């Protein structure tokens, strides 16, 4: 008599989207190695083995867990962490060195906001839950990150928070 | 500026990321048509997102899925389609008609608030967009009587006078708009909005909003859709008085223990003519 083990739905959701999780983690830890990113994803998924409330989005929780794990990793390794690991620059980094280099040079808080919205495509509310921040903070960090990416943080471009009148 | 609204830097980012309501996104898209500099910035942010996705593709051994992005809202096109623009302009026309009426209440409320600036106000009236000239016409049917009945039932109910708390105006307005079509929550000077509920009315629904004055008196504003426009008129001879008027496609009745003239001085209504 065979015993059929049925996986919970949240496991299926994570399994189907593990590529998105790994992609986010690799961008987040860049220029650290892909192995570091994959380890974060593995740990995050393992931590989600106990499902929270049924209404929780497991994928959103997984992104949030990756963010928390990476913040801890950064704290533990200190400022030196953002320096590239010797010989670990991935092929993807070489393929688009300009943008990945700028991402790697960004403050972590801005990088998180930019990647969770711009790369993953989460909405502001979902991003706020994943980053454990008010959505207003997510937006302000996103604004700073985009300005930095554009090299306009100190330029004479737009002023964040500036109001325009529309009809 | 007449009918003006403001858009912030954050709102432009929200537009780029498809985070605005369809209506607001369309408003900004129309505005962007005259602002090529801001349009270019939005295009740049979207290009940044695309560059990010190219720079960090999904790892090859994983099959990419669209499940994540399927739940994310689509970014609206910067140039709206002709049909979307047509529908938008029609809505704007209807909204202007409604704002004419709403400003009738809000404008008077704000004026009263300014003149009584030394008094402590418990609510902040919305700034007026314009004051409408309202033609005198017969007061609505038995709205005053029904509003007074509703006031007696709910304003006197100490346990559950309202369905949705006024401290959650977004939820309250969403509920009332869905069921009654009411577009905004009128402010009454020197009175705080406690909340509201939906009531039956002439085959459809009415919005019932409950306010509390600084003296602790409960005022109820009942609004239901109609087609006429009338000026405020006092109704009733008891200690519970009501004022009714019609504007912007709605019949309104303001009910409370204060006399009609006292109700006028709450700032919700213009002086009688």
């Amino acid at each position: 008599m065979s015993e059929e083990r049925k996986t919970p739905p949240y496991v299926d959701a994570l399994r189907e989207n593990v590529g998105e999780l790994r992609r986010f983690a690799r961008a987040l830890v860049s220029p650290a190695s892909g192995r570091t990113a994959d380890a974060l994803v593995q740990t995050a998924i393992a931590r989600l083995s106990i499902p929270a409330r049924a209404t929780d989005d497991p994928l959103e929780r997984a992104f949030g867990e990756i963010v928390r794990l990476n913040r801890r990793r950064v704290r533990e390794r200190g400022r030196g962490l953002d320096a590239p690991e010797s010989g670990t620059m991935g092929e993807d980094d070489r393929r688009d060195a300009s943008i990945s280099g700028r991402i790697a040079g960004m403050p972590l808080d801005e990088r998180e906001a930019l990647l969770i919205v711009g790369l993953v495509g989460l909405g502001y509310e979902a991003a706020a839950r994943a980053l454990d921040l008010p959505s207003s903070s997510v937006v302000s960090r996103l604004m700073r990150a985009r300005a930095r990416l554009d090299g306009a943080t100190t330029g004479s471009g737009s002023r964040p928070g500036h109001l325009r009148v529309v009809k | 500026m007449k009918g003006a609204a403001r858009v912030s830097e954050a709102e432009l980012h929200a537009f780029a990321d498809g985070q605005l309501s369809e209506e607001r996104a369309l408003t900004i898209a129309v505005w962007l048509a005259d602002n090529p500099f801001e349009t270019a910035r939005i295009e740049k942010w979207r290009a940044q997102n695309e560059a990010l996705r190219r720079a960090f593709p999904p790892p090859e051994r994983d099959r990419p899925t669209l499940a994540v992005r399927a739940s994310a809202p689509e970014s609206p096109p910067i140039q709206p389609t002709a049909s979307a623009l047509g529908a938008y302009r029609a809505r704007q026309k209807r909204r202007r008609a409604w704002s004419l009426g709403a400003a009738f209440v809000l404008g008077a409320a704000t004026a009263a608030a300014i003149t009584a600036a030394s008094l402590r106000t418990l609510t902040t009236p919305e700034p007026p967009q314009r004051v409408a000239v309202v033609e005198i016409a017969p007061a609505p049917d038995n709205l005053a009587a029904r509003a007074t009945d509703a006031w007696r039932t709910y304003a006197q109910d100490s346990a559950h006078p309202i369905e949705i708390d006024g401290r959650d105006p977004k939820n309250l307005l969403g509920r009332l708009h869905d069921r009654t079509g009411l577009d905004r929550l009128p402010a009454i000077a020197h009175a705080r909005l406690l909340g509201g509920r939906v009531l039956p009315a002439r085959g459809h629904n009415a919005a019932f909003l409950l306010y509390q004055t600084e003296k602790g008196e409960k005022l109820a504003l009942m609004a239901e859709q109609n087609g006429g426009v009338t000026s405020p008129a006092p109704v009733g001879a008891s200690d519970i008085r009501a004022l009714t008027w019609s504007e912007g496609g709605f019949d309104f009745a303001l009910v409370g223990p204060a006399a009609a003239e006292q109700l006028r001085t709450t700032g919700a209504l213009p002086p009688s003519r």
Side-chain angles (χ1 to χ4, degrees), chain A residues 84-126:
Chain A
E85 292 175 4
S86 176
T88 57
M89 178 172 268
E91 187 183 339
D92 298 339
D93 295 323
R94 286 192 295 272
R95 192 159 42 212
D96 190 343
S98 62
I99 192 163
S100 59
R102 288 183 185 179
I103 295 292
M106 257 181 204
L108 183 59
D109 58 346
E110 295 175 17
R111 194 190 316 174
E112 290 172 349
L114 180 67
L115 293 176
I116 203 88
V117 173
L119 178 66
V120 176
L122 290 190
Y124 290 175
E125 292 298 328

Side-chain angles (χ1 to χ4, degrees), chain A residues 17 22-23 121 124 146 158, chain B residues 17 31 41 56 62 65 72:
Chain A
N17 291 284
R22 292 177 59 215
R23 173 194 214 181
Y124 290 175
R146 281 176 167 159
S158 70
Chain B
D17 294 320
W31 177 78
R41 293 179 68 218
F56 299 101
D62 299 310
T65 78

Side-chain angles (χ1 to χ4, degrees), chain B residues 48-176:
Chain B
Q48 285 178 351
N49 288 351
E50 285 305 313
L52 273 177
R53 290 168 196 145
R54 284 196 305 273
F56 299 101
E60 286 182 6
R61 72 168 185 260
D62 299 310
R63 289 180 58 197
T65 78
L66 295 177
V68 174
R69 238 175 285 283
S71 61
E74 292 288 326
S75 298
I78 293 182
Q79 297 298 330
T81 63
S83 61
L85 260 181
Y88 167 78
R89 286 178 178 140
R91 285 195 297 274
Q92 289 294 95
K93 194 174 177 182
R94 286 196 299 273
R95 183 166 298 161
R96 276 195 292 273
W98 161 241
S99 72
L100 274 170
F104 175 74
V105 171
L106 299 177
T110 306
I114 291 170
T115 56
S118 60
L119 298 175
R120 184 174 60 89
T121 55
L122 297 177
T123 184
T124 306
E126 293 184 32
Q129 292 180 322
R130 75 203 78 175
V131 176
V133 176
V134 180
E135 295 178 2
I136 297 176
D141 61 354
N142 61 347
L143 175 63
R146 290 184 288 116
T148 303
D149 286 346
W151 183 90
R152 290 186 195 282
T153 300
Y154 296 112
Q156 306 302 305
D157 184 341
S158 59
H160 301 290
I162 52 173
E163 279 181 322
I164 301 174
D165 200 299
R167 287 171 296 189
D168 186 4
K170 189 177 176 185
N171 188 25
L172 175 60
L173 183 58
R175 162 89 170 149
L176 294 180

Side-chain angles (χ1 to χ4, degrees), chain A residues 8-18 21 57-59, chain B residues 65 67-68:
Chain A
Y10 78 94
V11 172
D12 292 337
L14 294 177
R15 192 175 288 159
E16 288 173 7
N17 291 284
V18 69
L21 295 172
D57 180 348
L59 203 54
Chain B
T65 78
V68 174

Side-chain angles (χ1 to χ4, degrees), chain B residues 144-149 151-152 156 217 234-243 254-263:
Chain B
R146 290 184 288 116
T148 303
D149 286 346
W151 183 90
R152 290 186 195 282
Q156 306 302 305
E217 292 173 336
V235 179
S238 69
D239 56 336
I240 304 301
R241 302 296 299 270
L243 282 171
L254 182 64
V255 188
E261 288 307 314
Q262 286 176 303
L263 286 177

Side-chain angles (χ1 to χ4, degrees), chain B residues 156-227:
Chain B
Q156 306 302 305
D157 184 341
S158 59
H160 301 290
I162 52 173
E163 279 181 322
I164 301 174
D165 200 299
R167 287 171 296 189
D168 186 4
K170 189 177 176 185
N171 188 25
L172 175 60
L173 183 58
R175 162 89 170 149
L176 294 180
H177 183 263
D178 288 347
R179 302 301 308 279
T180 72
L182 193 66
D183 268 352
R184 52 178 75 196
L185 303 173
I188 296 181
H190 313 306
R192 179 169 58 96
L193 177 61
L194 297 177
R197 60 168 62 241
V198 177
L199 296 180
R202 295 188 305 195
H204 47 272
N205 297 320
F208 178 87
L209 292 164
L210 193 60
Y211 301 80
Q212 186 168 33
T213 68
E214 290 174 311
K215 294 179 182 176
E217 292 173 336
K218 301 278 179 60
L219 297 178
L221 182 68
M222 191 162 155
E224 58 188 39
Q225 285 189 328
N226 84 337

